[in-house]
Structure formats: structure tokens, C-alpha cells
Amino acid sequence: TWAVHIANQRGAFDTDAIGKADLFVIQRMFPCPGTEAALAGIVKMGTPIIYEVDDLLMEMPPNNPNRDFAIQCRPFVLDVMQQAAAITVSTEALKAELLQWNPNIYVLPNLIDERLWTQTQRPHAGPVVIGFTGTSTHGDDLRMIEDAFIQISAKHGQGVAFQFMGCVTDRLARLPGAKVTGFTPDYESFAKALQTTSMDVAVVSLEDNLF
């Protein structure tokens, strides 16, 4: 049961669902100044809490657009982690970093819903398309490969094109043959969009940091 519903970028609590719950799953930066009262009520109920996270939120890089918010959330996240009956994380490395806050940590690797990923790419005419997809927080990851993309474009000309979904830098947006589309936050819609976008090569660049 979803106890929080988002409408017009604002969250609303389903108090009936909260009152009937046998277990709460709380994710990422939900613990924040705006949810302090709701979390206090949940803790007071004594209902077990599982905290779920797949990034080391306390080590968010300085250039990440969400860093200031993460700093605000830090004391609330730490409080929930310490009071949780268990924490689930996506990797052994993340578990090792969070053990200082709670000994009951379980690694549940990220999975995909294979029912949403059934469409295979079909051959297409025209240039080879190099693609990148990600939220707007991945600007620094893209800047790592800007020079390589620019060199590829200069070498191959109209033989290559570029598709950026959700994130792009100013330099890459100016590449000949570059297409830029917005990010799709709904996962089912995102899966459909990615499968129907022509990409021959997908590049996944990530900075090497604790986060």
C-alpha cells in the first residue's frame, strides 16, 4: 500500500494506510525536514521500519544538484537508519559503509522487471546513434566523456549522431546530429521510451566516488 501520493509535485499522506500498516518501507531522502512530523508519528506507533537506499547519500558530490537537500536530510536519514528494524541496500560496498549506523543490513541487488523490457532494437537506416540516458544529476559524469564524443563527431561527421535523454551538457548539445529529450520519471514510461529510441551504442559513464 502506498502511504504517500504525489500530485502537482506535492506529497500527501494517507493516514488510513499508515494506521493499518504492519510494516513501513521508507526510502532514500524521504526522511527530511518536511516529513519530520509524519516520521515521528510512525516511530511512536512502534511499527517496524525497513529503510531502503541504493546510494551513499551522505557522500553526495559537491556538484550534484541535490547536495544541499541531502545535507538537510542527513540528520533525519541517520535517525531513521538507527531506529529501523533493518536496512536494505543494493551492494556489499554500501552495506559496509552503513554498518556503523545499524547492524541489520541486507543486500538486495537492483533488479529489473523483465515484463517491461521485451522490445529488441531493429536495424535502422542512417548514422550510428550513440546514446546516453540519466537524470539531470549526471552532468559531471557526461563531462568526463565530452572530449571523446567531440572527437568522434569530428572524425565521422554525418556517420554518427547522438541521443541524450534526460541529461546533456552545453557542449554536447551543440554536437551535429545531437537530439535531446527530457527525462521520463515514471519507470514504465521510461522503459517504453528507451526501447523505442534508436541507439546503436549506449554509454554509461560514472565518476569514481563514494556516492
Side-chain angles (χ1 to χ4, degrees):
T1 300
W2 292 101
V4 178
H5 302 278
I6 306 297
N8 299 321
Q9 297 185 330
R10 294 181 64 86
F13 295 98
D14 184 341
T15 54
D16 187 54
I18 291 175
K20 294 180 179 178
D22 300 304
L23 176 75
F24 289 107
V25 178
I26 296 173
Q27 297 174 314
R28 295 181 60 82
M29 292 190 290
F30 179 79
C32 66
T35 60
E36 182 179 11
L39 287 171
I42 290 172
V43 170
K44 187 176 181 180
M45 290 169 59
T47 305
I49 294 171
I50 293 179
Y51 179 68
E52 180 180 42
V53 68
D54 62 354
D55 286 313
L56 188 57
L57 300 175
M58 283 77 75
E59 295 289 345
M60 196 171 288
N63 291 335
N64 190 301
N66 294 321
R67 178 179 168 84
D68 289 345
F69 183 57
I71 292 174
Q72 295 178 45
C73 293
R74 188 179 192 276
F76 302 96
V77 169
L78 292 180
D79 184 57
V80 168
M81 284 200 298
Q82 292 176 83
Q83 299 198 61
I87 297 174
T88 64
V89 296
S90 52
T91 66
E92 290 288 348
L94 190 51
K95 174 181 178 178
E97 292 287 343
L98 298 185
L99 277 172
Q100 60 183 307
W101 308 109
N102 192 315
N104 300 313
I105 302 182
Y106 300 86
V107 177
L108 302 179
N110 284 334
L111 301 172
I112 63 171
D113 186 344
E114 294 181 352
R115 295 170 298 180
L116 302 179
W117 299 91
T118 58
Q119 190 166 329
T120 57
Q121 288 284 357
R122 295 182 295 275
H124 63 89
V128 173
V129 180
I130 301 174
F132 179 93
T133 181
T135 63
S136 60
T137 62
H138 289 283
D140 282 353
D141 300 319
L142 266 178
R143 274 181 275 275
M144 293 169 53
I145 57 175
E146 276 184 331
D147 290 343
F149 274 29
I150 291 169
Q151 290 172 24
I152 290 170
S153 178
K155 180 177 180 179
H156 297 283
Q158 295 183 351
V160 294
F162 302 88
Q163 174 72 59
F164 300 97
M165 300 175 64
C167 186
V168 70
T169 66
D170 291 340
R171 293 174 71 200
L172 294 179
R174 293 194 296 268
L175 284 174
K179 294 182 179 180
V180 181
T181 59
F183 188 74
T184 306
D186 173 71
Y187 187 72
E188 187 171 351
S189 299
F190 165 75
K192 183 177 180 180
L194 190 57
Q195 291 174 91
T196 54
T197 299
S198 295
M199 288 187 190
D200 299 297
V201 180
V203 180
V204 186
S205 55
L206 280 176
E207 285 192 309
D208 184 7
N209 55 42
L210 280 174
F211 173 68

